[in-house]
Amino acid sequence: MKLVVLKERGSTVALAVLGVFTILLIAVLAFVFISVSEGRLLITAFFAFFLLIMFSGLYVLMKKRGEYRRAESFAGLSGFSDSGLTFPEELEFETGTLEMRGYWVGSGRNRSYHVERNFLPGKRERASKVPFMSSPFKVAVSPDGTGFVKAPAVRITDEPYKNIVVLFFTDEGEVRGSGTVTVVTESDSAQVNYRGDGKFIAGTVYSTLTKARRVKVVLTAEGFEYEKVIGKGRSFEFRERMLPEEKVVMVGTYGTVTPRMVAKALGGGTVLLGHGEFIIRGVLDVRLRPDVRAEETFRVELRGEEIEKGREFEEEWGSEISDPPKERTRDKKKRQDNE
C-alpha cells in the first residue's frame, strides 16, 4: 500500500520570496514617508496598496502551509495498511465521495488555477478506525491539472483534525470489453483491435498508410477534453494499465487538495485511471489536414459482486461522465427485469 500526503511543492520558496519582497516594500514605504515631503500622501497610498496585496498573499500561503502541516501530523499519528486506517484517537467522521474538478481561468500572467470541490456524505459515525474503502473511483487529469477526480473518501468532523480528508484508490478491478476501431480515409486505413487484459487495456494496430504519417491510439473519458497517447506507429502492439499497481491512500485537507496533486501522486502526466466507462480512439495523423478519428468504449469494473454496485456508484456521479440517460434507463430496466 502507498501513502501520500497531498501538498504543493515550492510553497516554502514562494513564502520566503514573498516575505522578502514584503520587507523590502515596507522599507521603501518607510523611506518615502520620512524623506519625501511633496506628494507624500499619494506615494504612501500607492505603496500601501501593494503592501496590502503582499500581506494578502502571505496570509494565503501561510494558511496553506498550516493545512499541509495538519495533514502531515494526522498521517504521522495514524496507522495505514491494506486493511484500513487507524486514527490517532476515536474521532467522528463521514464516509462518502469526494468530487473535484480543476480548470484554468484567464490567459498569460493572469491565468490562474481553480478547483471546485464537493463532498457527498454517506454515513456518519464515531470510531477509532475505518476499513479500506474498496469502492469505484475515477481520475482523468491532464498535466496542467485540468480534469476531474471522483473517489471514495473519509472526512473528519472532529477537532483538531476537522476537514482532514482521506482518499482511497483501490487496485481491484478488471477491464471489460473488446472490439475493433476502424479509421478510414480515401487513401489510408487502420484497424485498432483492443481487449481487456486484467487491469490493462491491450491490443494491436494494423494499417495501410499512403498520406497519413502514422496511427495513434489514445484514451480519454466523457467530459475530459484531453487525450492520453498509449501507442503510435504503423503496425504495433499497445498495453496500458487502467488501475494503480497497488492500493493508494492520500491524506490532505478539504480546502487544499486538488486534481493536480492527486494526478501527480498517481504518476503524473495525463492520468486516466479508475472504474467506469472510458473511450479508446484510433487517430490517423494526416499531413496538412486535421486528424481523422474513430472510437469505441470499454469499461473497468470491480470484480464479482461489486460490479453492479460499481455501476450504481458511477451513475450517482452525474451524467457528465457516466452513461447517456437512455442507456442508464435501459440498463436499470434490464436489472429490474432480472430481479
Side-chain angles (χ1 to χ4, degrees), residues 121-320:
K123 182 172 63 173
R124 181 185 286 254
E125 56 184 297
R126 188 174 190 86
S128 59
K129 58 184 179 180
V130 61
F132 188 94
M133 298 175 66
S134 294
S135 300
F137 73 90
K138 197 168 193 177
V139 178
V141 182
S142 70
D144 70 353
T146 301
F148 59 84
V149 174
K150 296 175 184 284
V154 167
R155 183 178 183 178
I156 309 299
T157 56
D158 262 357
E159 296 291 357
Y161 305 110
K162 189 174 182 179
N163 284 331
I164 293 287
V165 290
V166 184
L167 283 69
F168 299 87
F169 300 87
T170 182
D171 60 346
E172 297 176 8
E174 186 174 357
V175 179
R176 299 292 184 89
S178 62
T180 300
V181 180
T182 303
V183 200
V184 179
T185 66
E186 293 178 358
S187 55
D188 304 285
S189 65
Q191 283 191 334
V192 180
N193 302 310
Y194 68 92
R195 67 186 186 282
D197 183 12
K199 294 179 173 61
F200 294 82
I201 181 74
T204 55
V205 176
Y206 303 99
S207 66
T208 302
L209 305 182
T210 302
K211 294 183 179 180
R213 291 178 292 186
R214 59 187 175 179
V215 183
K216 294 188 292 185
V217 179
V218 301
L219 296 180
T220 188
E222 191 69 31
F224 184 57
E225 58 186 293
Y226 293 83
E227 296 175 333
K228 181 177 184 179
V229 179
I230 62 172
K232 55 186 176 181
R234 288 178 172 263
S235 295
F236 56 92
E237 296 182 352
F238 61 89
R239 194 165 185 261
E240 180 71 13
R241 177 178 284 276
M242 298 302 301
L243 292 164
E245 295 183 7
E246 58 183 332
K247 291 180 178 179
V248 181
V249 176
M250 300 186 191
V251 179
T253 61
Y254 182 75
T256 62
V257 296
T258 67
R260 184 165 54 184
M261 292 179 185
V262 172
K264 193 168 185 178
L266 291 172
T270 300
V271 177
L272 279 160
L273 291 174
H275 306 89
E277 191 170 271
F278 292 88
I279 299 168
I280 181 169
R281 286 181 182 147
V283 182
L284 285 178
D285 183 2
V286 185
R287 293 181 182 89
L288 304 177
R289 286 178 54 189
D291 291 345
V292 180
R293 289 171 160 80
E295 65 184 44
E296 294 289 341
T297 60
F298 65 93
R299 295 187 63 86
V300 183
E301 298 178 329
L302 289 177
R303 289 192 177 95
E305 297 177 355
E306 295 176 313
I307 291 174
E308 194 66 23
K309 293 180 182 178
R311 285 177 176 165
E312 293 171 357
F313 184 87
E314 185 183 6
E315 287 173 3
E316 293 173 358
W317 286 352
S319 59
E320 59 186 356

Side-chain angles (χ1 to χ4, degrees), residues 11-26:
S11 59
T12 302
V13 175
L15 187 63
V17 171
L18 196 57
V20 170
F21 273 105
T22 302
I23 293 171
L24 289 175
L25 194 58
I26 292 173

